[in-house]
Amino acid sequence: MAPRTDSELSCRALALLRVVAAGRAEITCSSEPDMFIDGVPCCDQYAAHALARRGLIVQTGPAELGKRVRARLTPAGAAVLGVVGEAA
């Protein structure tokens, strides 16, 4: 999958990627994972779902369905942040 550019993601989605990169996010183990930031539910679950569907974030390891685990960037997610960092 080719990395998406900053013009294809909202500012909020990019902010969520930065939160994941900082190690502050957890996601639930499901096909549409919900995101939690610093233990609080994310205000834009639609954006969190879209990041997971696009393959930009994943869970760090296996867990029971519905349980929270730390989120991490995929190589594609890291590449998107790299592209944004270079353009900023």
Side-chain angles (χ1 to χ4, degrees):
M1 175 196 298
R4 303 201 183 264
T5 64
D6 60 333
S7 63
E8 295 172 338
L9 292 174
S10 69
C11 290
R12 185 173 293 172
L14 292 171
L16 291 177
L17 287 177
R18 289 185 196 99
V19 167
V20 172
R24 297 175 45 211
E26 294 177 307
I27 55 176
T28 57
C29 296
S30 69
S31 60
E32 290 285 332
D34 291 329
M35 183 180 285
F36 294 79
I37 302 168
D38 297 331
V40 178
C42 174
C43 68
D44 190 349
Q45 294 297 342
Y46 177 79
H49 295 170
L51 293 174
R53 277 193 307 273
R54 289 181 173 191
L56 301 177
I57 62 171
V58 294
Q59 64 193 45
T60 54
E64 292 180 39
L65 187 63
K67 297 291 183 179
R68 287 191 223 172
V69 295
R70 187 161 305 279
R72 71 170 175 82
L73 294 178
T74 64
V80 167
L81 283 184
V83 168
V84 170
E86 291 171 11

